[in-house]
Amino acid sequence: MGCKHMVLAGLALACAAPAACAQVLTPPLQLLLFHPARPGVLSQCENAHGRDTFGRDARPDPADPQKAWVVETAFTLHWPDGAFTQAGALPDAAALPIDRCFALLSGGQPVLSGAVVDEWSARRLDFMALVRLCSEPGTPTRYVLQARFPLPR
């Protein structure tokens, strides 16, 4: 059974404000995925890029490639007034991670971080999330950057 292409009702996007996204998210971008320091505790992903332990927690390690890795497969990332598409091999649908931390790097420097979740789990977070939308097999992964849910009015 395939994924349903539903987007949460009222899903609006914001970094902190649309202008902030444009200033911070300057392509080319790199998407770094890593495990929270305490497994399953996604609150540790909030602003992880600004912590003293970021270099240790999110450093890819050839000896342990599941600890942290730069996404090299094809994906599209959307945010207010912008998008970034990375070319590459199509991802294996079974290997698309959620419930991990992410950091977006611009020019090799981390500029945003939060948690990677599916579109239903995003409602439980009150910090930056990279929402993985359902994608058809054989297509690039689709992500939406969301500041928090529910969004302030």
Side-chain angles (χ1 to χ4, degrees):
M1 182 165 144
C3 288
K4 293 180 181 178
H5 290 285
M6 298 170 115
V7 178
L8 292 171
L11 179 68
L13 306 174
C15 279
C21 282
Q23 292 173 351
V24 171
L25 299 177
T26 308
L29 299 172
Q30 284 185 305
L31 176 58
L32 176 69
L33 301 179
F34 56 100
H35 292 275
R38 288 182 41 213
V41 182
L42 294 181
S43 61
Q44 293 184 334
C45 301
E46 182 177 11
N47 295 317
H49 71 288
R51 293 197 184 104
D52 293 338
T53 60
F54 178 76
R56 181 184 67 235
D57 296 340
R59 181 180 51 237
D61 181 357
D64 184 6
Q66 295 301 311
K67 177 184 173 189
W69 65 98
V70 174
V71 176
E72 295 178 349
T73 57
F75 69 88
T76 301
L77 170 64
H78 297 271
W79 66 86
D81 301 324
F84 173 74
T85 299
Q86 175 173 289
L90 294 175
D92 176 5
L96 295 175
I98 57 171
D99 298 334
R100 305 281 194 277
C101 298
F102 80 89
L104 286 172
L105 287 70
S106 179
Q109 297 300 313
V111 293
L112 288 174
S113 59
V116 180
V117 295
D118 64 23
E119 55 190 308
W120 305 110
S121 297
R123 295 178 282 178
R124 297 181 176 191
L125 299 182
D126 190 27
F127 56 88
M128 186 71 67
L130 192 59
V131 181
R132 190 191 77 196
L133 300 176
C134 294
S135 297
E136 291 295 323
T139 63
T141 309
R142 295 182 309 135
Y143 294 104
V144 175
L145 191 62
Q146 175 179 313
R148 53 184 21 99
F149 191 98
L151 293 169
R153 295 182 183 246

